[in-house]
Every structure is written in C-alpha cells, then in structure tokens.
Amino acid sequence: MESSMFTNQNAMFIETRRTVRKYAKREVSGELVNTLLATASRTQTMGNLQLYSVVVTRSPEMKQRLAPAHFNQPMVTEAPVVLTFCADFRRTTTWCEQRQANPGYDNFLSFINAATDALLYCQTFCNLAEAEGLGLCFLGTTVYMPQMIIDTLQLPKLVMPVATITLGWPDEQPQLTDRLPLEAIVHNETYHDPAPSDIDAFYGYKEQLPENRQFVSINNKQTLAQVFTDCRYTRKDNEALSATLIEALKNQGFL
C-alpha cells in the first residue's frame, strides 16, 4: 500500500520533470514564491540553524548584471524570477556575537555545512515549485564565477553563493533526459568499484542515444566520454575555476 501511494502521488511529477529554459511572459507572484520558500524551510538542516539565505532577483537591471556570471545564458534575463541560494553563516555568527557567544564558523567545515543546508533547501524548493506547475533551470555556473555574483548581490563575509535557479511558467516541454540505471549509483553495505563490464552496462544506453552519438560526431571525438573531458569539462577549466572558487572562499572568510 505504501509503495503504491508513493508511485501514484510523489513519483508522478519527479519521474517526468524537465529542465525548463523558456518561460511564458506571465508573472510569478511574490506571494507564491514566498509561500514556496516558507514551505521549503521545513527541510532538514544542521542543528536547526538554517544556514542559508536566498536572494530573489526580479528587476531586469539586476538580472542583466547577473547574466555574465552565468555565461549570459538567455534564461537568466528572460525568466521572471532568478533565485540565488547562499551558504550563510553570517546571520548565525552575528546572533552568537550578540548573545555573548564566541562563534568559530570562519572555516571550510562551516562552509561545507552551510552549503549542504543551502542545497537541501534549494532542492526542496525546486520540488515544491515544480509540483505547482512552475518550470525551472538549475544553473551550475554559480560556482564558476562566484566573485561576480558576490559583488553584484553585495554578499558580505561568511555568505557564499552555491546555487542559482531561473523560475517561471513553462513555455516549452523539452524531452526527458536519460538517467543511469539504479545499479550504477546504489552500493549495498560497501562501495563496489565498477569493473569494465559494469561501466559498459551502466553507460551503454547513454552512449547509443542518437543525440549523444551526434555530440561525438560534431566534436570529432571517438567516445562520448571524450566530449566531456576534452570539450565540456576540461582539466584546464576545472583547475582555473577551482582557483577562482578558492579565492572567493578566502574573500568571504571561509578559508
């Protein structure tokens, strides 16, 4: 009975969720956004401290200023709402200082704890928003050029952007993207290092999809993996962006 209830009620929109990058020219009310943000605050959090903050961006001017930090992806300026989720230990630190307590949260562990809180909160918000019929796109670019976001949103010390979503009513219904089989991600009792035959089984379907075969062809590569290592997420870029991220963490007081 419990399994059937989950299948019918909860999996319905999760199993058909799509990343939406095109939005109808229709307002998303502040009341709805605030209701979703308030409801999402019931998500799990370390020590019940809620180590996150959200900057809600609606004005065209501010969205235009944020766009370069996200490689000028069109949905940043076209979406009715952009939300930046931040790891926030400043509020907690200020509370401690005003209550004769000595905070020690200017360190990397505290950033990880706050980032985890913020990402959990963000995902809960996303689930709630999509259940209401809204569409959204999670922008992985938030951690690529964080200092630009920090400067634009005037984030103080101990506040660090970790996730951004664009939000609006969908104006498209893109195809569902593929996912790895459960066997690829679930390990019983201890981690099972995949054998070559496992890798073949896990990635075979993805590699044979027409769109992925086309990616390989147009990039003049031999395998789909090479598209990722040589074109999309290169060592050079990863190392350069890692240095940028570390520098921003230093500037924000977490390192």
Side-chain angles (χ1 to χ4, degrees):
M1 182 64 179
E2 290 182 356
S3 176
S4 175
M5 184 179 299
F6 174 83
T7 300
N8 293 334
Q9 295 181 5
N10 299 322
M12 182 171 60
F13 72 90
I14 291 291
E15 291 183 347
T16 59
R17 75 154 307 278
R18 296 166 167 83
T19 294
V20 174
R21 296 177 173 86
K22 294 181 180 179
Y23 305 98
K25 295 186 183 303
R26 174 185 169 192
E27 181 187 2
V28 180
S29 73
E31 180 181 5
L32 176 57
V33 172
N34 286 339
T35 296
L36 294 172
L37 288 169
T39 305
S41 69
R42 297 307 307 171
T43 198
Q44 55 267 53
T45 170
M46 195 196 81
N48 198 30
L49 289 172
Q50 295 179 255
L51 303 171
Y52 50 77
S53 286
V54 186
V55 180
V56 180
T57 302
R58 288 180 174 274
S59 79
E61 178 187 1
M62 287 299 293
K63 286 186 284 189
Q64 194 68 49
R65 290 177 59 188
L66 277 174
H70 298 290
F71 298 96
N72 290 306
Q73 296 178 85
M75 58 273 196
V76 175
T77 53
E78 295 173 359
V81 187
V82 177
L83 297 98
T84 306
F85 293 79
C86 303
D88 184 353
F89 243 119
R90 184 176 185 85
R91 183 183 63 247
T92 302
T93 294
T94 302
W95 171 58
C96 291
E97 290 173 341
Q98 291 185 192
R99 296 297 185 269
Q100 296 76 53
N102 185 23
Y105 307 127
D106 52 347
N107 46 66
F108 186 63
L109 177 63
S110 296
F111 166 70
I112 291 295
N113 286 331
T116 300
D117 260 23
L119 290 171
L120 287 169
Y121 179 61
C122 175
Q123 184 58 66
T124 300
F125 176 87
C126 289
N127 290 344
L128 293 169
E130 289 177 326
E132 287 294 317
L134 288 160
L136 57 91
C137 180
F138 184 97
L139 304 182
T141 45
T142 304
V143 294
Y144 287 1
M145 290 191 283
Q147 193 60 52
M148 189 177 297
I149 299 173
I150 291 166
D151 294 341
T152 300
L153 301 181
Q154 301 179 22
L155 304 182
K157 294 280 190 179
L158 299 183
V159 180
M160 184 75 181
V162 295
T164 302
I165 65 168
T166 57
L167 183 73
W169 301 105
D171 195 29
E172 64 172 347
Q173 191 174 27
Q175 290 185 339
L176 292 176
T177 52
D178 63 283
R179 291 294 186 266
L180 293 173
L182 189 64
E183 294 79 11
I185 59 175
V186 175
H187 304 258
N188 293 315
E189 308 301 344
T190 60
Y191 189 94
H192 170 70
D193 202 10
S197 59
D198 294 325
I199 295 297
D200 291 341
F202 296 160
Y203 290 89
Y205 175 77
K206 180 187 290 287
E207 291 171 330
Q208 293 305 315
L209 288 172
E211 57 268 33
N212 287 337
R213 292 170 66 90
Q214 183 181 15
F215 285 150
V216 174
S217 176
I218 64 178
N219 285 287
N220 296 313
K221 298 299 175 182
Q222 294 177 312
T223 69
L224 181 62
Q226 290 176 346
V227 175
F228 285 87
T229 61
D230 300 352
C231 304
R232 297 192 65 183
Y233 306 110
T234 68
R235 177 182 294 276
K236 179 181 178 182
D237 288 344
N238 288 338
E239 291 178 348
L241 294 171
S242 292
T244 299
L245 178 60
I246 289 171
E247 186 62 27
L249 285 169
K250 290 179 180 177
N251 292 340
Q252 294 309 99
F254 282 113
L255 288 178

